[in-house]
């Protein structure tokens, strides 16, 4: 849609924005606001150019693009509209977000009328253009300004509805160029970078030339994606150099000396090793691509995965799947047609009295029975459940005709298990001649299905696809949330079946990519914890919270740095300095012991009276304690930490 640029600069009344600057044009200075408006209008309109129409079939046979606008589409478009400055009609987006459904239905009818007539109101084409100066540019030049268009929120909502439909259509029908990576679901700068990297690696392997033409985009770095930058570092920077950069940055941020051990730095900052994170992000990138099949820019069929990767990446992926005890085929991927319509079936989350989990079990159970008898007397009822124990993760389904129970991959979360249980119930327990009511105690699973989008978990997309198949067979599916362990016999039975799983139970090897990514991240952070617990510092310092937790208790940055030095035992003392030949005498003049921070806080006779007072405030009973015991008393809560910090000045520590 082309928006005609109007000369509205002089009507902009925001007092925080200057109405005009002095503009130098054609060797003369222009100060008149109206003349400036004309210059800007002509300048910005030169950006517009003709474009080829998208290859869309808008014939009446194309039901997807031409169907009536649904209420959920309107509500989603409104919810995703930013609370920015309104257009010429001065109606803000927050006004739409506060409307009742009755008013929204009237707006829905108006938008449908515009779609049917293919004629837009003139006010929707009325756009206020505000020139915003670019930073560090000459403000007398027209080229130093970028245009900000203030359009009608009505128009933005209508555009968002159509854009969502068109994007869904182009993506699902694979009508876009496979090398298009920007502004599309399931593709981003990661996929573009890796395709270039793969082409370069292939050329080097075959001793061929690789020619690339790069177009620079001004100010693109301002919005660079951090993870993509880290992924790029893997291609250009040695991993050990990344670790040096990380530890150096942490020492500066925490305010600790250069000799602070890396193990303590990572533990204190609660960070994974950067080289490990880079490798993890690379593996996560490939797994995400596997999960977005058949829309992945890299993988289209599971059997050709490794052949499409650089050899070292393919080997890393093989090792990862071997460690996970699964193969790429086991990953739950997108259906052929991803869904974003939350109205595929009825979902009851907070519609009935018994769905108040604070009620007594007896009331929940009796009201549930009454609800089923009144509203769902002819539905075929199925109860599902997902369960996780230290031995197994399992799913179960139950109806009055039959039941099932399966083990699933232990990395799957309870959320995934609950959704998989519903999927299996639709496959194995439904009967074709009746409408189905499925009971689940997973509020999060049903809520996710009710708010489905392109970015929903892949297992939710799979469930939506199965429901859509039943819908095409004229079979109605309804999902109902039932509070868990509330005495409802259906769900109690499903829960009991799920917990009866054993090693001999049939096994389903599906695994959610989201759960794999969560596991890999958790595993990477565990390396930091394990390295610390295996080190000598665990015995000397003990366990302590990370600096982010501590910073919520302290009053300022100075206290953060002080506590970081206390924990890492890097407070400047004669004993510490002598280790680096920076002090001639490491001994305490009073006690004749090594004068380090442990001695000062725990044993030095010079501070005996201060220590007694501090011990009493910290509720420390024994006079003879170790350094790790002291920290365990200090770092237990905010009050004790502040008491400790205030007492340090009496130990001559600041």
């Amino acid at each position: 849609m082309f928006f005609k640029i109007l000369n509205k600069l002089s009507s902009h009344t925001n007092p925080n924005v200057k109405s005009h600057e002095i503009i130098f044009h054609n060797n003369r200075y222009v100060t008149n606001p109206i003349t400036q408006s004309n210059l800007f209008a002509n300048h910005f309109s030169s950006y517009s150019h003709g474009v080829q129409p998208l290859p869309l079939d808008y014939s009446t046979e194309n039901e997807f693009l031409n169907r009536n606008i649904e209420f959920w589409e309107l509500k989603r478009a409104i919810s995703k509209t930013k609370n920015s400055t309104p257009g010429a009609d001065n109606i803000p987006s927050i006004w739409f977000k506060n409307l009742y459904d009755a008013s929204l239905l009237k707006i829905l009818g108006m938008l449908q009328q515009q779609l049917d007539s293919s004629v837009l109101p003139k006010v929707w084409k009325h756009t206020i253009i505000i020139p915003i100066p670019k930073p560090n540019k000459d403000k007398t030049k027209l080229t130093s300004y970028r245009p900000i268009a203030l359009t009608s929120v009505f128009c933005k909502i209508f555009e968002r509805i159509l854009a969502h439909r068109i994007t869904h259509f182009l993506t699902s029908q694979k009508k876009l160029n496979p090398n298009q990576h920007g502004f599309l679901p399931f593709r981003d700068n990661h996929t573009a970078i890796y395709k270039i990297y793969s082409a370069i690696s292939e050329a080097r392997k075959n001793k061929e030339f690789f020619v690339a033409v790069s177009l620079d985009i001004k100010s693109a770095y301002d919005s660079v994606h951090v993870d993509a930058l880290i992924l790029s570092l893997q291609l250009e920077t040695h991993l050990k150099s990344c670790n040096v950069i990380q530890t150096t940055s942490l020492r500066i941020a925490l305010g600790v000396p250069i000799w602070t051990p890396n193990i303590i730095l990572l533990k204190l900052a609660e960070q994974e090793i950067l080289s490990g994170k880079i490798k993890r992000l690379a593996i996560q990138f490939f797994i995400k691509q596997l999960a977005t099949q058949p829309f992945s820019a890299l993988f289209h069929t599971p059997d050709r995965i490794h052949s499409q990767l650089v050899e070292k990446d393919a080997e890393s992926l093989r090792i990862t799947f071997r460690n996970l005890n699964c193969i790429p085929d086991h990953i739950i991927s997108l259906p052929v047609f991803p869904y974003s319509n939350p109205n595929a079936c009825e979902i009851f989350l907070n519609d009935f009295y018994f769905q108040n989990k604070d009620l007594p079990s007896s009331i929940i159970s009796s009201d549930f029975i009454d609800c089923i008898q009144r509203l769902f007397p002819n539905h075929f009822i199925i109860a599902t459940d997902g369960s996780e124990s230290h031995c197994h993760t399992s799913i179960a389904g139950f109806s009055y005709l039959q039941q099932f129970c399966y083990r699933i991959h232990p990395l799957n979360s309870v959320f995934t298990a609950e959704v998989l249980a519903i999927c299996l119930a639709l496959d194995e327990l439904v009967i074709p001649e009746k409408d189905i009511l499925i009971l689940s105690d997973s509020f999060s699973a049903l809520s996710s299905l009710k708010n489905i989008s392109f970015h929903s978990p892949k297992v939710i997309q799979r469930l939506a696809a199965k429901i859509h198949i039943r819908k095409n067979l004229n079979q109605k599916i309804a999902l109902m949330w039932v509070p868990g362990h509330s005495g409802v016999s259906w769900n109690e039975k499903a829960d009991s079946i799920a917990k009866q799983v054993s090693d001999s139970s049939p096994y389903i090897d599906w695994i959610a990519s989201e759960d794999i990514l969560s596991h890999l991240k958790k595993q990477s952070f565990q390396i930091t914890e394990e390295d610390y617990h295996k080190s000598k510092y665990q015995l000397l310092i003990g366990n302590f919270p990370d600096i982010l937790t501590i910073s919520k208790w302290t009053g300022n940055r100075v206290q953060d740095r002080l506590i970081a030095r206390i924990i890492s035992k890097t407070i400047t003392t004669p004993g510490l300095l002598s280790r680096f030949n920076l002090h001639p005498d490491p001994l305490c003049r009073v006690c004749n012991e090594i004068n380090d921070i442990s001695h000062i806080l725990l044993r030095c006779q010079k501070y005996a009276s201060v220590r007694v007072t501090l011990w009493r405030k910290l509720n420390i009973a024994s006079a003879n304690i170790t350094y790790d015991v002291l920290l365990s008393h200090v770092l237990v809560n905010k009050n004790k930490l502040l008491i400790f910090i205030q007492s340090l000045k009496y130990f001559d520590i600041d």
Side-chain angles (χ1 to χ4, degrees):
M1 183 186 301
F2 174 74
F3 293 100
K4 186 177 180 181
I5 299 178
L6 301 177
N7 301 329
K8 284 288 183 178
L9 292 177
S10 58
S11 65
H12 184 70
T13 58
N14 188 337
N16 297 320
V17 180
K18 290 185 178 181
S19 60
H20 66 278
E21 299 279 356
I22 297 176
I23 300 298
F24 187 74
H25 182 69
N26 287 342
N27 296 321
R28 64 187 180 90
Y29 288 98
V30 179
T31 58
N32 184 278
I34 296 178
T35 306
Q36 288 183 353
S37 298
N38 290 325
L39 290 175
F40 275 116
N42 293 331
H43 174 67
F44 292 146
S45 63
S46 65
Y47 291 175
S48 302
H49 55 84
V51 295
Q52 294 297 322
L54 292 171
L56 297 180
D57 178 15
Y58 285 102
S59 62
T60 55
E61 290 79 14
N62 195 323
E63 181 270 338
F64 182 83
L65 289 173
N66 293 289
R67 72 175 191 271
N68 290 341
I69 300 174
E70 298 186 38
F71 189 61
W72 67 268
E73 290 183 286
L74 173 62
K75 295 197 73 171
R76 171 176 289 173
I78 292 175
S79 67
K80 291 185 176 296
T81 301
K82 297 180 180 179
N83 296 326
S84 54
T85 307
D89 56 15
N90 207 31
I91 301 177
S93 58
I94 193 67
W95 180 80
F96 291 87
K97 295 178 181 180
N98 290 329
L99 290 176
Y100 292 111
D101 286 355
S103 300
L104 290 177
L105 287 172
K106 293 182 179 180
I107 294 177
L108 179 64
M110 184 192 72
L111 296 180
Q112 184 61 49
Q113 184 179 1
Q114 312 308 323
L115 183 64
D116 293 339
S117 64
S118 300
V119 177
L120 300 180
K122 289 184 178 180
V123 69
W124 287 13
K125 302 179 182 180
H126 188 162
T127 304
I128 300 175
I129 304 296
I130 307 296
I132 303 297
K134 299 176 183 178
N136 304 320
K137 297 291 184 179
D138 185 357
K139 295 182 180 180
T140 64
K141 296 181 179 180
L142 293 174
T143 55
S144 298
Y145 293 80
R146 58 186 178 90
I148 296 295
L150 305 181
T151 58
S152 169
V153 179
F154 273 104
C155 186
K156 289 180 180 178
I157 293 171
F158 189 62
E159 282 183 324
R160 191 177 292 276
I161 292 172
L162 297 183
H164 184 272
R165 286 189 178 189
I166 293 172
T167 302
H168 186 283
F169 176 79
L170 293 176
T171 304
S172 60
Q173 298 295 325
K174 298 184 179 179
K175 291 184 176 293
L176 294 172
N177 190 303
N179 292 319
Q180 169 69 31
H181 294 267
F183 312 105
L184 290 176
F186 319 124
R187 299 189 185 187
D188 53 20
N189 48 358
H190 293 75
T191 56
I193 290 172
Y194 192 80
K195 292 198 78 170
I196 296 173
Y197 172 59
S198 299
I200 294 173
S201 300
E202 186 67 20
R204 291 183 62 184
K205 179 181 177 181
N206 298 327
K207 297 182 179 181
E208 298 174 345
F209 290 101
F210 178 84
V211 179
V213 178
S214 176
L215 300 178
D216 180 49
I217 301 175
K218 289 185 178 180
S219 303
Y221 187 79
D222 295 342
S223 58
V224 68
H225 193 282
V226 176
D227 285 348
L229 182 61
I230 292 177
L231 183 60
S232 301
L233 284 174
Q234 185 193 26
L235 313 180
E236 302 172 5
T237 309
H238 198 278
L239 295 180
K240 289 185 178 180
S241 301
C242 295
N243 292 342
V244 173
I245 294 172
Q246 179 190 29
T247 52
T248 302
S249 301
L250 286 178
R251 286 186 176 91
I252 296 172
L254 296 174
V256 294
I258 193 172
W259 56 74
T260 306
N262 292 344
I263 292 177
I264 295 180
L265 281 174
L266 295 172
K267 167 67 175 172
L268 189 58
E270 199 179 23
Q271 287 195 8
E272 53 188 319
I273 302 170
L274 186 55
S275 58
K277 181 175 182 177
I278 292 172
K279 294 177 182 178
R280 174 176 66 81
L281 289 175
I283 293 297
Q284 288 186 184
F285 166 72
F286 299 131
I287 291 175
K288 287 179 181 178
Q289 293 301 306
L290 289 171
T292 56
Q293 294 182 75
F295 305 99
S296 168
L298 301 183
F299 309 136
H300 301 290
T301 55
D303 56 333
R304 294 184 60 241
I305 288 171
H306 296 101
S307 64
Q308 298 173 59
L309 296 179
V310 176
E311 180 54 36
K312 67 181 184 67
D313 295 328
E315 181 60 25
S316 297
L317 200 58
R318 290 190 194 96
I319 294 172
T320 299
F321 278 109
R322 188 160 58 245
N323 293 337
L324 295 174
N325 193 27
C326 65
I327 60 175
D329 285 346
H330 296 166
I331 291 181
I332 301 171
S333 60
L334 285 169
V336 176
F337 297 102
Y339 293 92
S340 58
N341 182 357
N343 294 333
C345 67
E346 289 185 296
I347 301 175
F348 302 101
L349 293 175
N350 296 300
D351 301 82
F352 306 113
Y353 180 65
F354 73 85
Q355 291 178 317
N356 181 357
K357 62 182 179 181
D358 295 328
L359 293 173
S361 297
S362 57
I363 295 179
I364 292 177
S365 178
S366 61
D367 193 75
F368 167 80
I369 295 173
D370 179 67
C371 175
I372 296 298
Q373 291 174 347
R374 285 187 298 105
L375 302 177
F376 305 95
N378 298 319
H379 280 67
F380 184 75
I381 300 177
I382 299 172
T384 63
D385 191 56
S387 179
E388 183 181 46
S389 67
H390 66 282
C391 297
H392 303 289
T393 303
S394 60
I395 59 176
F398 166 75
S399 72
Y400 71 86
L401 293 179
Q402 56 184 324
Q403 64 185 44
F404 67 78
C405 181
Y406 293 101
R407 288 183 298 127
I408 60 175
H409 198 287
L411 287 186
N412 283 313
S413 63
V414 174
F415 172 89
T416 301
E418 295 281 3
V419 181
L420 286 178
I422 300 175
C423 290
L424 261 293
L426 290 172
D427 288 340
E428 299 189 7
L429 300 185
V430 298
I431 55 177
E433 63 272 12
K434 278 196 172 186
D435 294 334
I436 306 298
L437 175 64
I438 298 179
L439 309 177
S440 173
D441 63 359
S442 176
F443 189 92
S444 59
L446 300 190
S447 179
S448 181
L449 180 62
K450 192 168 186 176
N451 297 283
I452 190 171
S453 69
F454 283 131
H455 304 291
S456 296
K458 309 304 179 294
V459 68
I460 290 291
Q461 285 282 349
R462 282 286 175 180
L463 174 57
K466 291 180 180 294
I467 292 174
H468 191 75
I469 291 173
R470 294 289 170 181
K471 186 177 180 180
N472 290 340
L473 297 174
N474 296 320
Q475 188 172 31
K476 292 182 179 179
I477 304 293
L479 299 173
M480 179 185 289
W481 175 68
V482 178
H485 308 291
S486 55
V488 176
S489 59
W490 286 90
N491 286 74
E492 295 298 331
K493 178 65 175 178
D495 179 69
S496 174
I497 296 171
K499 290 179 179 177
Q500 292 174 8
V501 70
S502 64
D503 291 336
S504 60
S505 300
Y507 180 75
I508 293 179
D509 45 26
W510 293 337
I511 184 169
S513 61
E514 294 84 3
D515 295 331
I516 294 179
L517 303 187
S518 177
H519 170 75
L520 292 177
K521 185 175 182 179
K522 181 180 178 181
Q523 195 177 51
S524 186
F525 276 96
Q526 283 178 342
I527 294 175
T528 299
E529 289 291 327
E530 291 173 359
D531 288 346
Y532 175 75
H533 287 296
K534 292 177 182 177
S535 70
K536 61 182 180 181
Y537 305 106
Q538 165 69 37
L539 184 62
L540 295 173
I541 301 175
N543 292 319
F544 53 85
D546 61 273
I547 195 64
L548 293 178
T549 301
I550 294 172
S551 63
K552 296 176 183 177
W553 298 343
T554 56
N556 51 55
R557 174 76 178 128
V558 174
Q559 292 182 355
D560 289 345
R561 298 179 65 177
L562 180 60
I563 291 300
R565 283 175 170 255
I566 291 287
I567 291 174
S568 58
K569 301 181 75 171
T570 54
I571 292 289
T572 304
T573 61
L576 181 64
L577 293 176
S578 66
R579 291 173 53 190
F580 302 96
N581 298 321
L582 298 176
H583 196 280
D585 185 10
L587 300 180
C588 173
R589 296 180 180 179
V590 177
C591 309
N592 202 32
E593 294 183 17
I594 298 296
N595 194 12
D596 57 12
I597 186 62
S598 297
H599 172 73
I600 293 173
L601 293 176
L602 301 177
R603 296 180 299 277
C604 186
Q605 294 301 314
K606 179 181 178 180
Y607 307 107
S609 60
V610 177
R611 191 177 301 111
V612 170
T613 303
L614 178 59
W615 263 224
R616 184 174 65 253
K617 291 181 179 179
L618 296 177
N619 298 322
I620 299 177
S622 175
N624 299 317
I625 60 173
T626 57
Y627 197 77
D628 62 311
V629 173
L630 172 61
L631 290 182
S632 68
H633 282 81
V634 169
L635 300 174
V636 68
N637 58 44
K638 178 180 179 179
N639 291 335
K640 290 191 175 182
L641 178 61
L642 294 180
I643 290 172
F644 178 72
I645 291 175
Q646 292 166 3
S647 301
L648 288 176
K649 60 184 178 182
Y650 301 111
F651 288 93
D652 299 324
I653 298 173
D654 51 28

